[in-house]
Amino acid sequence: MKPPRLLTHRSSPEEEDAALVEGLRRGDRDAFETLIDRHHATMVRVARLFLRDRQVADEVVQETWLAVLEGIDRFEGRSSLKTWIFRILTNRAKTRATREGRSVPFSAVAPSGDEPTVDPDRFLPPDSSAPGRWASPPRGWETVPEERLLSQEALGRIGQAIEDLPDAQREVIRLRDVEGWSAEEVVGALGITDGNQRVLLHRARAKVRQALADYLEEAA
């Protein structure tokens, strides 16, 4: 079998997609394994936004991979290959949830309108002399040593804060800030609006930042 065209660190995303699509259409196992290595774990996490049962989520991911192989000849390149794969996944996850008599909760992929971004207790109460102002203003980090911000303990606190987030917020911040996805890719993968993506990311970042601030205050 003819080996896939080699990809280098200089390849553009479009060139990488083209090479992988070419490989998949030839039945190249290496191209398929490359995609599995890149996306499988994230696909399981996204599927579980809609399907709480891990086994069912795994099944949907496997079905998605089969659909990718069967439908690769119809891929037209209007979106990135990654976005195309995740759209198949989210559509199948939603369909599976509906088929099992479980409607997909809107809260799984869209933010609640009444959830505060910042803990209300950090502001002065309405009956105070300055209602709505900071009771404990956010601490500036300009004077915090870089080694403390990048310590294993600080990074561990950040990781735990991400794990503690609501499902949709957790996945959006992972995709954007950990895996480096663009806003457009997240919107396409999760099937949400750009506005919802921005709100979820903003709330997630605010909570993670607060967790880090709490750690720095404890360590001061």
Side-chain angles (χ1 to χ4, degrees):
M1 181 178 292
K2 180 181 177 182
R5 177 157 48 91
L6 292 178
L7 300 176
T8 72
H9 67 281
R10 299 184 184 88
S11 300
S12 69
E14 293 77 14
E15 290 171 333
E16 286 201 47
D17 275 3
L20 289 169
V21 169
E22 177 186 330
L24 290 178
R25 287 174 176 169
R26 290 200 313 268
D28 191 321
R29 182 173 179 175
D30 287 342
F32 185 51
E33 289 182 348
T34 295
L35 286 173
I36 290 177
D37 290 343
R38 289 182 182 179
H39 303 311
H40 187 85
T42 304
M43 289 169 69
V44 173
R45 294 201 312 266
V46 170
R48 294 196 69 187
L49 291 175
F50 306 93
L51 299 157
R52 301 302 183 196
D53 188 294
R54 172 61 186 258
Q55 181 176 349
V56 176
D58 286 338
E59 290 175 2
V60 168
V61 172
Q62 295 297 333
E63 292 171 3
T64 299
W65 284 124
L66 289 175
V68 167
L69 292 176
E70 293 171 354
I72 193 62
D73 287 337
R74 297 189 296 276
F75 176 70
E76 299 177 350
R78 295 179 182 176
S79 63
S80 71
L81 181 60
K82 176 169 60 179
T83 298
W84 180 70
I85 291 171
F86 276 85
R87 281 177 181 166
I88 295 173
L89 172 71
T90 53
N91 287 337
R92 285 181 172 268
K94 292 175 183 177
T95 299
R96 182 65 174 268
T98 301
R99 188 168 73 235
E100 295 188 353
R102 176 184 177 276
S103 60
V104 180
F106 184 68
S107 60
V109 291
S112 168
D114 56 0
E115 180 186 350
T117 300
V118 180
D119 186 348
D121 290 340
R122 301 205 62 187
F123 300 99
L124 294 172
D127 58 354
S128 67
S129 58
R133 293 189 180 181
W134 287 105
S136 54
R139 178 186 176 188
W141 294 347
E142 295 81 2
T143 60
V144 178
E146 184 176 357
E147 58 268 22
R148 179 180 294 176
L149 288 172
L150 298 179
S151 69
Q152 288 300 313
E153 188 174 358
L155 295 176
R157 185 68 66 93
I158 291 171
Q160 187 59 54
I162 291 175
E163 287 299 316
D164 292 341
L165 291 169
D167 291 347
Q169 292 180 25
R170 182 175 64 244
E171 198 54 43
V172 168
I173 196 172
R174 273 178 172 169
L175 294 176
R176 289 296 310 278
D177 293 348
V178 178
E179 300 188 20
W181 287 31
S182 68
E184 182 179 3
E185 287 174 328
V186 173
V187 166
L190 299 184
I192 57 178
T193 67
D194 182 60
N196 283 340
Q197 183 271 153
R198 283 187 279 109
V199 171
L200 286 166
L201 182 62
H202 174 67
R203 290 178 175 173
R205 284 174 172 171
K207 291 174 182 177
V208 172
R209 189 186 192 283
Q210 183 58 52
L212 180 57
D214 291 344
Y215 160 74
L216 293 175
E217 289 176 5
E218 293 169 6

